[in-house]
Amino acid sequence: MRNSLAVTAPPASGPPIDPGSVAGGPRRHRDDRRVAWLFLAPVLVGFAVFYLYPTVRGVWYSLTDYSLLNTPSYVGADNYTKLISDAQFWTSLRITGYYVLVNIGTQTLLALGLAALMHRLTRSVVLRATLLLPWLVPNVTVGLLWMWMLDTNLGFVNHLLSAIGGEPQGFLQNSDLAMPSIALINTWAYTGYTALLLYAGMLQIPPHLYESASLDGAGEFRMFRRITLPLLRPILALVLVVSLIGSFQIFDTVAVTEKVVPVGATRVIYLYIYKQAFTYFHMGYAAAVAMALVLILGLLTAVQMWLLRASRSDLT
Amino acid sequence: MTRRFRPGRLLAWTLLIVFIVVTILPFYWMVRTALTPAADIYADSSGIVPKHPTMINFWRVLGLVDEQKARDAGGSGAKINFLRYTLNSIIYSGLIAGVQTFCCAMAGYAFARLRFPGRDLLFGVVVAALMVPPIFTLLPNFSLVRSLGAIDTFAGMVAPTLLMTPFAVFFLRQFFLSVPAEVEEAATIDGAGRWGIFWRVILPMSRGPLITIGLTTSVWAWKDYLWPLLVGRGEDNRVLTVALGVFLQQSPNTQPDWTGLMAASTLSVLPVLLLLIFLGKRLVQSLNFTGIK
């Protein structure tokens, strides 16, 4: 309303001027300032209460002894000293690292292959939607589904194994197989999604490159190595980092399957923080472990931002 | 040349089909198990469809048959009501997606188009929160919700994500930046205020991105587990993911109630399947820009 007044009735003093440029200028500044807070109010409230405040409090917790029931009492760097010498913390990091390696390794390779196949064969939307289905399903469901598929006696995978003459395996009950099995379960859940991201990147590659290469007699593998891979590299790197950050935060699948896996075999960092906080009520210590995770993910995010900038200048 | 390509193409298509089969097979096995009577689960494990297909597993996890009947069909006798949990999940994800998208659209517009002091600094702070892993803020948030007495309330469950996520603000601001300024200038000359422009000009032309971010948010909320597990464990507020976990915990370790569990799992897949059927095209096409955050 204020704006409309300014536009329809320019100030009586002074010559009539274009309302959009000069007269509107300073007036619009003043008006925006007031109206901006209305636009921003809900988001700023949500941000202050559930992002900013808890971030500050989280840092504070990590310096305190806090059990949810007492008032946090300052203990300096005690939690961090404990962290350095906590074998379970290092074990959980190692387990997480192993998980991430198997998960991201298989997922990225499979997704790259799948994206390349789609890129060279079909533009079908139905096909892409189908591949996206596992990603849309809750991870809890994914965990349950595969607990059943991998069941020692009745699971589909063991039916298959027996059919080809293999021994039935307790994939999740075996302490050597549990973590890689869960990593592959999540590979199943995220490969389609990752492939679609890479596929979207491949669509940005000018098609005429393939046409002329094919006229020159280049085969598909050669084109993949010489055209697709180099031109996709920025996107691939970006997708890789985003998946890495996600993979480090594995929780749901591990939490659901925890009932059947050997004790501690899949205690990843997220689960360790969760247990410290909500099973043992070591809130302060849990916050310190979470700080370590912040550090690791912060480094990865820094790499991501750097890549994002690099990819922008490369492709657009 | 086409002839030389044929064997390769055939192999490529075969590989692609293998990917699709591996993607779908677990879902097929889930539905098949859900349709099998619990008594048949040992004997009837081959064949494309169960020998004696039944809906009883669905009826009993939905709480539609009495306890004795549920027990006879393989249930543990514990009370389960997946009808309630499914509704809870739908309300949880629908409410968060709707409110969050609207609030973040307002903020995204303000950050993209309005002029006020400290705008870029404020936006920078909001976006910086993308770097904080959820578990880090989850601990203090739990403590906060607990001290407000909101554990095991629906309000406590939706509170942290109802109004905003940094990603939604970031995403929508990016979109509003790309809206040509002429559109607004024309409306300004027509006498519309900032609010009027936003409401009558910007929002209608942003349907695509709004639906995209709304869909992404609802899928994310549908999959959400850790926060509802902490704050909404009680029967009344339990969402599907939490209920599935509880169902598994209650099921005996030696002989889990697989037919019931798979029927319940199917319920958690059905809505996203419908989403995919009706909005799959939009979802698939939007992936290239929401995915890379």
Side-chain angles (χ1 to χ4, degrees), chain B residues 165-203:
Chain B
T165 57
F167 175 67
V169 175
F170 171 75
F171 174 88
L172 287 166
R173 174 186 174 263
Q174 288 303 98
F175 168 74
F176 290 131
L177 280 178
S178 73
V179 174
E182 292 80 42
V183 175
E184 284 168 83
E185 273 158 27
T188 313
I189 290 163
D190 288 346
R194 279 299 185 186
W195 183 250
I197 294 175
F198 176 71
W199 194 246
R200 286 197 300 271
V201 182
I202 300 291
L203 276 190

mmCIF file of all heavy atoms in Angstrom, chain B residues 165-203:
data_model
loop_
_atom_site.group_PDB
_atom_site.id
_atom_site.type_symbol
_atom_site.label_atom_id
_atom_site.label_comp_id
_atom_site.label_asym_id
_atom_site.label_seq_id
_atom_site.Cartn_x
_atom_site.Cartn_y
_atom_site.Cartn_z
ATOM 1 N N THR B 165 14.191 -24.990 7.145
ATOM 2 C CA THR B 165 15.503 -25.619 7.155
ATOM 3 C C THR B 165 16.398 -24.692 6.341
ATOM 4 O O THR B 165 15.913 -24.049 5.404
ATOM 5 C CB THR B 165 15.512 -27.014 6.500
ATOM 6 O OG1 THR B 165 15.032 -26.884 5.171
ATOM 7 C CG2 THR B 165 14.679 -28.023 7.272
ATOM 8 N N PRO B 166 17.657 -24.605 6.681
ATOM 9 C CA PRO B 166 18.537 -23.718 5.917
ATOM 10 C C PRO B 166 18.538 -24.066 4.432
ATOM 11 O O PRO B 166 18.579 -23.189 3.583
ATOM 12 C CB PRO B 166 19.915 -23.979 6.533
ATOM 13 C CG PRO B 166 19.617 -24.420 7.921
ATOM 14 C CD PRO B 166 18.343 -25.192 7.842
ATOM 15 N N PHE B 167 18.409 -25.369 4.135
ATOM 16 C CA PHE B 167 18.458 -25.756 2.726
ATOM 17 C C PHE B 167 17.283 -25.189 1.935
ATOM 18 O O PHE B 167 17.451 -24.681 0.821
ATOM 19 C CB PHE B 167 18.509 -27.279 2.575
ATOM 20 C CG PHE B 167 18.440 -27.712 1.145
ATOM 21 C CD1 PHE B 167 19.492 -27.426 0.281
ATOM 22 C CD2 PHE B 167 17.324 -28.351 0.638
ATOM 23 C CE1 PHE B 167 19.433 -27.785 -1.056
ATOM 24 C CE2 PHE B 167 17.258 -28.717 -0.700
ATOM 25 C CZ PHE B 167 18.317 -28.441 -1.546
ATOM 26 N N ALA B 168 16.078 -25.247 2.522
ATOM 27 C CA ALA B 168 14.901 -24.748 1.809
ATOM 28 C C ALA B 168 15.030 -23.244 1.540
ATOM 29 O O ALA B 168 14.685 -22.765 0.458
ATOM 30 C CB ALA B 168 13.635 -25.051 2.607
ATOM 31 N N VAL B 169 15.536 -22.505 2.535
ATOM 32 C CA VAL B 169 15.730 -21.070 2.345
ATOM 33 C C VAL B 169 16.726 -20.825 1.215
ATOM 34 O O VAL B 169 16.495 -20.014 0.305
ATOM 35 C CB VAL B 169 16.242 -20.411 3.650
ATOM 36 C CG1 VAL B 169 16.572 -18.947 3.416
ATOM 37 C CG2 VAL B 169 15.208 -20.551 4.754
ATOM 38 N N PHE B 170 17.823 -21.564 1.277
ATOM 39 C CA PHE B 170 18.874 -21.432 0.273
ATOM 40 C C PHE B 170 18.332 -21.735 -1.125
ATOM 41 O O PHE B 170 18.506 -20.960 -2.056
ATOM 42 C CB PHE B 170 20.018 -22.391 0.615
ATOM 43 C CG PHE B 170 21.062 -22.517 -0.449
ATOM 44 C CD1 PHE B 170 21.989 -21.506 -0.641
ATOM 45 C CD2 PHE B 170 21.116 -23.640 -1.249
ATOM 46 C CE1 PHE B 170 22.948 -21.620 -1.622
ATOM 47 C CE2 PHE B 170 22.076 -23.761 -2.245
ATOM 48 C CZ PHE B 170 22.990 -22.749 -2.429
ATOM 49 N N PHE B 171 17.626 -22.852 -1.242
ATOM 50 C CA PHE B 171 17.106 -23.299 -2.526
ATOM 51 C C PHE B 171 16.138 -22.271 -3.113
ATOM 52 O O PHE B 171 16.233 -21.901 -4.283
ATOM 53 C CB PHE B 171 16.405 -24.648 -2.335
ATOM 54 C CG PHE B 171 15.705 -25.157 -3.565
ATOM 55 C CD1 PHE B 171 16.391 -25.916 -4.491
ATOM 56 C CD2 PHE B 171 14.363 -24.885 -3.783
ATOM 57 C CE1 PHE B 171 15.756 -26.388 -5.632
ATOM 58 C CE2 PHE B 171 13.715 -25.356 -4.919
ATOM 59 C CZ PHE B 171 14.414 -26.104 -5.838
ATOM 60 N N LEU B 172 15.199 -21.783 -2.276
ATOM 61 C CA LEU B 172 14.178 -20.882 -2.803
ATOM 62 C C LEU B 172 14.771 -19.504 -3.104
ATOM 63 O O LEU B 172 14.355 -18.847 -4.053
ATOM 64 C CB LEU B 172 13.008 -20.793 -1.835
ATOM 65 C CG LEU B 172 12.160 -22.076 -1.839
ATOM 66 C CD1 LEU B 172 11.214 -22.132 -0.663
ATOM 67 C CD2 LEU B 172 11.380 -22.198 -3.149
ATOM 68 N N ARG B 173 15.752 -19.084 -2.314
ATOM 69 C CA ARG B 173 16.403 -17.812 -2.629
ATOM 70 C C ARG B 173 17.066 -17.897 -4.010
ATOM 71 O O ARG B 173 16.941 -16.984 -4.822
ATOM 72 C CB ARG B 173 17.454 -17.460 -1.585
ATOM 73 C CG ARG B 173 18.255 -16.224 -1.970
ATOM 74 C CD ARG B 173 19.381 -15.976 -0.988
ATOM 75 N NE ARG B 173 20.247 -14.889 -1.396
ATOM 76 C CZ ARG B 173 21.403 -15.073 -2.036
ATOM 77 N NH1 ARG B 173 21.796 -16.287 -2.375
ATOM 78 N NH2 ARG B 173 22.157 -14.041 -2.359
ATOM 79 N N GLN B 174 17.754 -19.027 -4.252
ATOM 80 C CA GLN B 174 18.390 -19.215 -5.556
ATOM 81 C C GLN B 174 17.368 -19.054 -6.673
ATOM 82 O O GLN B 174 17.616 -18.398 -7.670
ATOM 83 C CB GLN B 174 19.013 -20.616 -5.664
ATOM 84 C CG GLN B 174 20.256 -20.831 -4.852
ATOM 85 C CD GLN B 174 21.347 -19.850 -5.172
ATOM 86 O OE1 GLN B 174 21.512 -18.864 -4.454
ATOM 87 N NE2 GLN B 174 22.080 -20.086 -6.241
ATOM 88 N N PHE B 175 16.196 -19.656 -6.472
ATOM 89 C CA PHE B 175 15.174 -19.551 -7.503
ATOM 90 C C PHE B 175 14.705 -18.108 -7.669
ATOM 91 O O PHE B 175 14.626 -17.588 -8.784
ATOM 92 C CB PHE B 175 13.978 -20.454 -7.198
ATOM 93 C CG PHE B 175 12.818 -20.148 -8.080
ATOM 94 C CD1 PHE B 175 12.835 -20.537 -9.406
ATOM 95 C CD2 PHE B 175 11.740 -19.419 -7.601
ATOM 96 C CE1 PHE B 175 11.782 -20.208 -10.252
ATOM 97 C CE2 PHE B 175 10.688 -19.098 -8.442
ATOM 98 C CZ PHE B 175 10.710 -19.494 -9.761
ATOM 99 N N PHE B 176 14.395 -17.426 -6.558
ATOM 100 C CA PHE B 176 13.858 -16.067 -6.664
ATOM 101 C C PHE B 176 14.864 -15.105 -7.292
ATOM 102 O O PHE B 176 14.485 -14.137 -7.932
ATOM 103 C CB PHE B 176 13.408 -15.557 -5.296
ATOM 104 C CG PHE B 176 12.168 -16.255 -4.791
ATOM 105 C CD1 PHE B 176 12.121 -16.776 -3.507
ATOM 106 C CD2 PHE B 176 11.055 -16.395 -5.605
ATOM 107 C CE1 PHE B 176 10.989 -17.425 -3.048
ATOM 108 C CE2 PHE B 176 9.914 -17.044 -5.154
ATOM 109 C CZ PHE B 176 9.884 -17.561 -3.872
ATOM 110 N N LEU B 177 16.148 -15.394 -7.106
ATOM 111 C CA LEU B 177 17.173 -14.564 -7.744
ATOM 112 C C LEU B 177 17.032 -14.616 -9.269
ATOM 113 O O LEU B 177 17.370 -13.660 -9.958
ATOM 114 C CB LEU B 177 18.569 -15.049 -7.346
ATOM 115 C CG LEU B 177 19.096 -14.625 -5.974
ATOM 116 C CD1 LEU B 177 20.461 -15.237 -5.741
ATOM 117 C CD2 LEU B 177 19.153 -13.108 -5.868
ATOM 118 N N SER B 178 16.542 -15.762 -9.763
ATOM 119 C CA SER B 178 16.476 -15.936 -11.213
ATOM 120 C C SER B 178 15.206 -15.343 -11.818
ATOM 121 O O SER B 178 15.072 -15.299 -13.033
ATOM 122 C CB SER B 178 16.572 -17.425 -11.555
ATOM 123 O OG SER B 178 15.360 -18.068 -11.205
ATOM 124 N N VAL B 179 14.272 -14.910 -10.964
ATOM 125 C CA VAL B 179 13.053 -14.283 -11.504
ATOM 126 C C VAL B 179 13.420 -12.893 -12.010
ATOM 127 O O VAL B 179 14.010 -12.106 -11.282
ATOM 128 C CB VAL B 179 11.971 -14.178 -10.404
ATOM 129 C CG1 VAL B 179 10.775 -13.396 -10.919
ATOM 130 C CG2 VAL B 179 11.555 -15.553 -9.950
ATOM 131 N N PRO B 180 13.080 -12.596 -13.269
ATOM 132 C CA PRO B 180 13.467 -11.292 -13.813
ATOM 133 C C PRO B 180 12.847 -10.136 -13.025
ATOM 134 O O PRO B 180 11.678 -10.192 -12.643
ATOM 135 C CB PRO B 180 12.929 -11.315 -15.247
ATOM 136 C CG PRO B 180 12.263 -12.620 -15.440
ATOM 137 C CD PRO B 180 12.410 -13.446 -14.231
ATOM 138 N N ALA B 181 13.637 -9.101 -12.785
ATOM 139 C CA ALA B 181 13.177 -7.971 -11.985
ATOM 140 C C ALA B 181 12.032 -7.232 -12.671
ATOM 141 O O ALA B 181 11.217 -6.604 -12.003
ATOM 142 C CB ALA B 181 14.339 -7.014 -11.717
ATOM 143 N N GLU B 182 11.953 -7.346 -13.999
ATOM 144 C CA GLU B 182 10.906 -6.612 -14.737
ATOM 145 C C GLU B 182 9.514 -7.023 -14.267
ATOM 146 O O GLU B 182 8.594 -6.213 -14.243
ATOM 147 C CB GLU B 182 11.009 -6.871 -16.252
ATOM 148 C CG GLU B 182 12.230 -6.282 -16.916
ATOM 149 C CD GLU B 182 13.463 -7.145 -16.713
ATOM 150 O OE1 GLU B 182 13.339 -8.370 -16.815
ATOM 151 O OE2 GLU B 182 14.534 -6.593 -16.431
ATOM 152 N N VAL B 183 9.384 -8.313 -13.905
ATOM 153 C CA VAL B 183 8.084 -8.810 -13.469
ATOM 154 C C VAL B 183 7.589 -7.987 -12.291
ATOM 155 O O VAL B 183 6.441 -7.546 -12.248
ATOM 156 C CB VAL B 183 8.198 -10.296 -13.060
ATOM 157 C CG1 VAL B 183 6.886 -10.797 -12.484
ATOM 158 C CG2 VAL B 183 8.617 -11.136 -14.250
ATOM 159 N N GLU B 184 8.494 -7.769 -11.330
ATOM 160 C CA GLU B 184 8.085 -7.021 -10.145
ATOM 161 C C GLU B 184 7.895 -5.552 -10.464
ATOM 162 O O GLU B 184 6.991 -4.905 -9.948
ATOM 163 C CB GLU B 184 9.163 -7.134 -9.077
ATOM 164 C CG GLU B 184 9.162 -8.461 -8.396
ATOM 165 C CD GLU B 184 10.400 -8.605 -7.576
ATOM 166 O OE1 GLU B 184 10.402 -8.109 -6.452
ATOM 167 O OE2 GLU B 184 11.367 -9.181 -8.087
ATOM 168 N N GLU B 185 8.763 -5.020 -11.317
ATOM 169 C CA GLU B 185 8.656 -3.595 -11.643
ATOM 170 C C GLU B 185 7.302 -3.289 -12.257
ATOM 171 O O GLU B 185 6.654 -2.318 -11.902
ATOM 172 C CB GLU B 185 9.787 -3.186 -12.579
ATOM 173 C CG GLU B 185 11.024 -2.784 -11.791
ATOM 174 C CD GLU B 185 12.295 -2.895 -12.614
ATOM 175 O OE1 GLU B 185 12.207 -2.780 -13.850
ATOM 176 O OE2 GLU B 185 13.362 -3.104 -12.009
ATOM 177 N N ALA B 186 6.865 -4.199 -13.140
ATOM 178 C CA ALA B 186 5.554 -4.010 -13.768
ATOM 179 C C ALA B 186 4.462 -3.977 -12.707
ATOM 180 O O ALA B 186 3.585 -3.125 -12.721
ATOM 181 C CB ALA B 186 5.291 -5.145 -14.755
ATOM 182 N N ALA B 187 4.545 -4.896 -11.745
ATOM 183 C CA ALA B 187 3.528 -4.956 -10.698
ATOM 184 C C ALA B 187 3.598 -3.723 -9.811
ATOM 185 O O ALA B 187 2.573 -3.209 -9.361
ATOM 186 C CB ALA B 187 3.710 -6.223 -9.872
ATOM 187 N N THR B 188 4.806 -3.237 -9.553
ATOM 188 C CA THR B 188 4.963 -2.046 -8.726
ATOM 189 C C THR B 188 4.264 -0.857 -9.380
ATOM 190 O O THR B 188 3.579 -0.079 -8.731
ATOM 191 C CB THR B 188 6.462 -1.717 -8.538
ATOM 192 O OG1 THR B 188 7.124 -2.903 -8.196
ATOM 193 C CG2 THR B 188 6.647 -0.684 -7.456
ATOM 194 N N ILE B 189 4.436 -0.751 -10.693
ATOM 195 C CA ILE B 189 3.805 0.358 -11.408
ATOM 196 C C ILE B 189 2.284 0.217 -11.356
ATOM 197 O O ILE B 189 1.555 1.184 -11.246
ATOM 198 C CB ILE B 189 4.327 0.408 -12.861
ATOM 199 C CG1 ILE B 189 5.792 0.864 -12.810
ATOM 200 C CG2 ILE B 189 3.502 1.365 -13.706
ATOM 201 C CD1 ILE B 189 6.572 0.598 -14.052
ATOM 202 N N ASP B 190 1.827 -1.051 -11.360
ATOM 203 C CA ASP B 190 0.390 -1.279 -11.234
ATOM 204 C C ASP B 190 -0.129 -0.983 -9.833
ATOM 205 O O ASP B 190 -1.315 -1.141 -9.565
ATOM 206 C CB ASP B 190 0.031 -2.732 -11.591
ATOM 207 C CG ASP B 190 0.168 -2.965 -13.085
ATOM 208 O OD1 ASP B 190 0.269 -1.962 -13.807
ATOM 209 O OD2 ASP B 190 0.181 -4.136 -13.502
ATOM 210 N N GLY B 191 0.766 -0.649 -8.927
ATOM 211 C CA GLY B 191 0.315 -0.218 -7.615
ATOM 212 C C GLY B 191 0.314 -1.284 -6.544
ATOM 213 O O GLY B 191 -0.309 -1.136 -5.507
ATOM 214 N N ALA B 192 1.009 -2.397 -6.777
ATOM 215 C CA ALA B 192 1.019 -3.446 -5.765
ATOM 216 C C ALA B 192 2.144 -3.206 -4.765
ATOM 217 O O ALA B 192 3.219 -2.742 -5.116
ATOM 218 C CB ALA B 192 1.196 -4.803 -6.431
ATOM 219 N N GLY B 193 1.904 -3.517 -3.488
ATOM 220 C CA GLY B 193 2.945 -3.443 -2.468
ATOM 221 C C GLY B 193 3.783 -4.700 -2.495
ATOM 222 O O GLY B 193 3.514 -5.625 -3.257
ATOM 223 N N ARG B 194 4.806 -4.727 -1.650
ATOM 224 C CA ARG B 194 5.688 -5.880 -1.604
ATOM 225 C C ARG B 194 4.937 -7.176 -1.323
ATOM 226 O O ARG B 194 5.169 -8.197 -1.937
ATOM 227 C CB ARG B 194 6.747 -5.670 -0.510
ATOM 228 C CG ARG B 194 7.898 -4.805 -0.955
ATOM 229 C CD ARG B 194 8.608 -5.444 -2.112
ATOM 230 N NE ARG B 194 9.777 -4.695 -2.493
ATOM 231 C CZ ARG B 194 10.510 -4.983 -3.564
ATOM 232 N NH1 ARG B 194 10.143 -5.974 -4.348
ATOM 233 N NH2 ARG B 194 11.568 -4.277 -3.850
ATOM 234 N N TRP B 195 4.033 -7.092 -0.360
ATOM 235 C CA TRP B 195 3.276 -8.278 0.020
ATOM 236 C C TRP B 195 2.380 -8.721 -1.129
ATOM 237 O O TRP B 195 2.289 -9.897 -1.462
ATOM 238 C CB TRP B 195 2.456 -7.976 1.281
ATOM 239 C CG TRP B 195 1.720 -9.163 1.771
ATOM 240 C CD1 TRP B 195 0.379 -9.362 1.742
ATOM 241 C CD2 TRP B 195 2.285 -10.352 2.336
ATOM 242 N NE1 TRP B 195 0.069 -10.590 2.254
ATOM 243 C CE2 TRP B 195 1.224 -11.220 2.632
ATOM 244 C CE3 TRP B 195 3.600 -10.757 2.620
ATOM 245 C CZ2 TRP B 195 1.417 -12.482 3.206
ATOM 246 C CZ3 TRP B 195 3.791 -12.010 3.174
ATOM 247 C CH2 TRP B 195 2.712 -12.849 3.469
ATOM 248 N N GLY B 196 1.733 -7.727 -1.775
ATOM 249 C CA GLY B 196 0.865 -8.015 -2.898
ATOM 250 C C GLY B 196 1.638 -8.641 -4.049
ATOM 251 O O GLY B 196 1.183 -9.596 -4.684
ATOM 252 N N ILE B 197 2.816 -8.106 -4.320
ATOM 253 C CA ILE B 197 3.642 -8.654 -5.401
ATOM 254 C C ILE B 197 3.981 -10.107 -5.098
ATOM 255 O O ILE B 197 3.838 -10.992 -5.933
ATOM 256 C CB ILE B 197 4.951 -7.843 -5.548
ATOM 257 C CG1 ILE B 197 4.628 -6.433 -6.026
ATOM 258 C CG2 ILE B 197 5.903 -8.527 -6.514
ATOM 259 C CD1 ILE B 197 5.837 -5.533 -6.090
ATOM 260 N N PHE B 198 4.400 -10.331 -3.857
ATOM 261 C CA PHE B 198 4.797 -11.681 -3.469
ATOM 262 C C PHE B 198 3.625 -12.642 -3.613
ATOM 263 O O PHE B 198 3.733 -13.714 -4.186
ATOM 264 C CB PHE B 198 5.304 -11.671 -2.026
ATOM 265 C CG PHE B 198 5.640 -13.043 -1.504
ATOM 266 C CD1 PHE B 198 6.751 -13.726 -1.974
ATOM 267 C CD2 PHE B 198 4.858 -13.656 -0.534
ATOM 268 C CE1 PHE B 198 7.063 -14.989 -1.507
ATOM 269 C CE2 PHE B 198 5.157 -14.919 -0.059
ATOM 270 C CZ PHE B 198 6.259 -15.580 -0.553
ATOM 271 N N TRP B 199 2.492 -12.217 -3.097
ATOM 272 C CA TRP B 199 1.334 -13.091 -3.019
ATOM 273 C C TRP B 199 0.709 -13.347 -4.387
ATOM 274 O O TRP B 199 0.373 -14.472 -4.718
ATOM 275 C CB TRP B 199 0.322 -12.458 -2.060
ATOM 276 C CG TRP B 199 -0.755 -13.379 -1.627
ATOM 277 C CD1 TRP B 199 -2.084 -13.266 -1.924
ATOM 278 C CD2 TRP B 199 -0.625 -14.553 -0.824
ATOM 279 N NE1 TRP B 199 -2.781 -14.292 -1.358
ATOM 280 C CE2 TRP B 199 -1.920 -15.100 -0.672
ATOM 281 C CE3 TRP B 199 0.452 -15.196 -0.221
ATOM 282 C CZ2 TRP B 199 -2.161 -16.260 0.056
ATOM 283 C CZ3 TRP B 199 0.214 -16.349 0.502
ATOM 284 C CH2 TRP B 199 -1.076 -16.876 0.639
ATOM 285 N N ARG B 200 0.564 -12.265 -5.188
ATOM 286 C CA ARG B 200 -0.205 -12.399 -6.426
ATOM 287 C C ARG B 200 0.659 -12.613 -7.660
ATOM 288 O O ARG B 200 0.178 -13.112 -8.663
ATOM 289 C CB ARG B 200 -1.082 -11.160 -6.625
ATOM 290 C CG ARG B 200 -2.278 -11.140 -5.683
ATOM 291 C CD ARG B 200 -3.329 -10.157 -6.163
ATOM 292 N NE ARG B 200 -2.825 -8.801 -6.251
ATOM 293 C CZ ARG B 200 -2.858 -7.936 -5.239
ATOM 294 N NH1 ARG B 200 -3.380 -8.297 -4.099
ATOM 295 N NH2 ARG B 200 -2.381 -6.722 -5.385
ATOM 296 N N VAL B 201 1.917 -12.212 -7.591
ATOM 297 C CA VAL B 201 2.753 -12.350 -8.790
ATOM 298 C C VAL B 201 3.806 -13.437 -8.609
ATOM 299 O O VAL B 201 3.923 -14.359 -9.408
ATOM 300 C CB VAL B 201 3.449 -11.010 -9.135
ATOM 301 C CG1 VAL B 201 4.272 -11.164 -10.396
ATOM 302 C CG2 VAL B 201 2.415 -9.908 -9.272
ATOM 303 N N ILE B 202 4.567 -13.333 -7.525
ATOM 304 C CA ILE B 202 5.711 -14.244 -7.353
ATOM 305 C C ILE B 202 5.270 -15.675 -7.041
ATOM 306 O O ILE B 202 5.718 -16.614 -7.686
ATOM 307 C CB ILE B 202 6.644 -13.719 -6.238
ATOM 308 C CG1 ILE B 202 7.176 -12.333 -6.608
ATOM 309 C CG2 ILE B 202 7.782 -14.684 -5.996
ATOM 310 C CD1 ILE B 202 8.137 -12.322 -7.758
ATOM 311 N N LEU B 203 4.401 -15.844 -6.055
ATOM 312 C CA LEU B 203 4.007 -17.199 -5.675
ATOM 313 C C LEU B 203 3.387 -17.992 -6.832
ATOM 314 O O LEU B 203 3.797 -19.116 -7.092
ATOM 315 C CB LEU B 203 3.051 -17.182 -4.476
ATOM 316 C CG LEU B 203 3.702 -17.100 -3.085
ATOM 317 C CD1 LEU B 203 2.663 -17.341 -2.003
ATOM 318 C CD2 LEU B 203 4.854 -18.082 -2.938
#
